[in-house]
Each structure stands twice: as structure tokens, then as C-alpha cells.
């Protein structure tokens, strides 16, 4: 089954994401290799989600059987792929390369909107790690990041993540303080 092989391979990379050779691979060629991980991170879509209403299976059953959720290969692959990015984004080169990827913020927005706590948490960690490198950026890079964030719709998505799960509030507060620096468009 190709989906199970893809899931297993993605999970292996998640388990070794902090290895220097993996980080080097992900940051290579201005992050061209990150495109695959962003694609895998956006692979899952809850088939029970009503696109107009944003309702998910959790609205019907707030505590669905985790074994049922974890049997979905696409979901497990997405979880491993965004987990890989959450770990790798701690590396400054990977974080900068992620920002250069056109789809990065839209993928993160979609994961924040998924209301699947595992996916939301990993997306928040990616955002936090990217913003954690702002201090090493030039003013021009900070302005670029500020414009990308403003255009991406990530701010409303972050707000909804906090409303959907109060567990994320401490992480959102940390992200909020980092966003203040970025929203100014320059470092002090």
C-alpha cells in the first residue's frame, strides 16, 4: 500500500529531523527540498469537514476514538511532515528557507484551521520557531516577513487557534510577543 509506505517514510524523517545532515538537506538550495514537506503537510483534509461551515467530526463527537483518527494514512503522514518542519525550523537556515517558500504560510494557516490539536500544535511550533529567528534578520528581512504575514491571513488563524483550544494560549502569547517585533517592520 503506497500510502502506508509514504506514511512510514515521513515518520522516519520526523524521528531524525534534528540530525545535522537532515537539516542541511532541508535548507539546501534555498529550501527547495522543503517543498515536498510542505506538500506532505497539506495532504490531509478531514473528509467530514463542511467547507462552508468549518464543521468537523469533532463537532459531532468532541472525543472521537483516537484509534480511528490514527488509522487515516493521510492524516498520519501530514502529522509527521509538519512534525518534521516543527523540529527542523529550530535551525535558522531551515527557518529562513521555509519563509522563502511561497506556500509555507498558506499551509500553516490551513493546519491552524484544521482544529486537529496535533496539527495545530505543530503548526504553532513552526511559526514560533520561524519568529524566534527574527533577531538575526536584517531590517529588510523583517519588513519582508511583516508583509508576508499581513498578506497570509495567519493573524486571524492564530486567533481562532486560541479560541478553539485554550491549551495553546501560552504558546500563542509567546508568538504574539514575537509578532510585535515583526509588525513594526524593523528591529529596534
Amino acid at each position: 500500500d503506497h500510502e502506508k509506505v509514504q506514511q512510514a517514510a515521513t515518520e522516519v524523517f520526523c524521528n531524525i529531523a534534528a540530525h545535522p545532515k537532515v537539516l542541511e538537506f532541508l535548507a539546501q538550495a534555498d529550501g527547495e527540498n522543503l517543498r515536498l514537506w510542505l506538500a506532505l503537510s497539506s495532504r490531509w483534509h478531514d473528509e467530514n469537514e463542511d467547507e462552508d461551515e468549518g464543521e468537523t467530526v469533532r463537532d459531532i463527537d468532541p472525543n472521537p476514538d483516537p484509534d480511528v483518527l490514527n488509522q487515516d494514512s493521510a492524516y498520519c503522514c501530514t502529522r509527521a511532515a509538519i512534525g518534521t518542519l516543527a523540529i527542523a525550523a529550530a535551525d535558522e537556515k531551515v527557518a529562513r528557507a521555509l519563509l522563502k517558500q511561497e506556500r509555507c504560510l498558506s499551509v500553516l494557516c490551513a493546519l491552524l484551521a484544521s482544529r486537529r490539536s496535533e496539527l495545530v500544535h505543530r503548526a504553532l511550533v513552526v511559526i514560533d520557531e520561524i519568529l524566534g529567528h527574527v533577531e538575526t534578520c536584517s531590517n529588510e528581512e523583517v519588513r519582508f516577513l511583516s508583509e508576508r504575514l499581513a498578506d497570509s491571513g495567519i493573524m486571524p488563524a492564530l486567533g481562532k487557534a486560541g479560541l478553539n483550544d485554550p491549551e495553546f494560549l501560552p504558546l500563542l502569547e509567546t508568538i504574539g510577543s514575537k509578532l510585535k517585533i515583526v509588525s513594526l517592520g524593523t528591529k529596534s
Side-chain angles (χ1 to χ4, degrees), residues 96-134:
R96 286 174 182 252
L98 264 172
L99 277 176
K100 292 179 181 176
Q101 296 303 309
E102 193 67 36
R103 293 190 57 217
C104 178
L105 295 176
S106 64
V107 167
L108 293 172
C109 282
L111 291 170
L112 290 173
S114 75
R115 299 197 292 177
R116 294 289 180 115
S117 62
E118 292 179 313
L119 302 180
V120 172
H121 181 253
R122 287 164 175 78
L124 288 172
V125 170
V126 171
I127 294 165
D128 183 51
E129 292 293 354
I130 288 171
L131 294 174
H133 298 291
V134 167

Side-chain angles (χ1 to χ4, degrees), residues 61 75 164 184:
D61 181 2
Y75 174 78
N164 290 330
L184 297 173

Side-chain angles (χ1 to χ4, degrees), residues 125-184:
V125 170
V126 171
I127 294 165
D128 183 51
E129 292 293 354
I130 288 171
L131 294 174
H133 298 291
V134 167
E135 290 299 323
T136 64
C137 294
S138 68
N139 284 338
E140 182 179 323
E141 290 171 316
V142 173
R143 278 191 294 277
F144 172 76
L145 177 57
S146 178
E147 290 169 11
R148 292 278 316 271
L149 288 170
D151 294 342
S152 71
I154 203 119
M155 302 306 207
L158 286 168
K160 287 180 183 176
L163 293 174
N164 290 330
D165 195 336
E167 178 184 322
F168 299 133
L169 290 177
L171 183 53
L172 285 164
E173 287 175 12
T174 302
I175 290 170
S177 65
K178 293 174 183 177
L179 282 170
K180 287 179 187 173
I181 296 169
V182 174
S183 67
L184 297 173

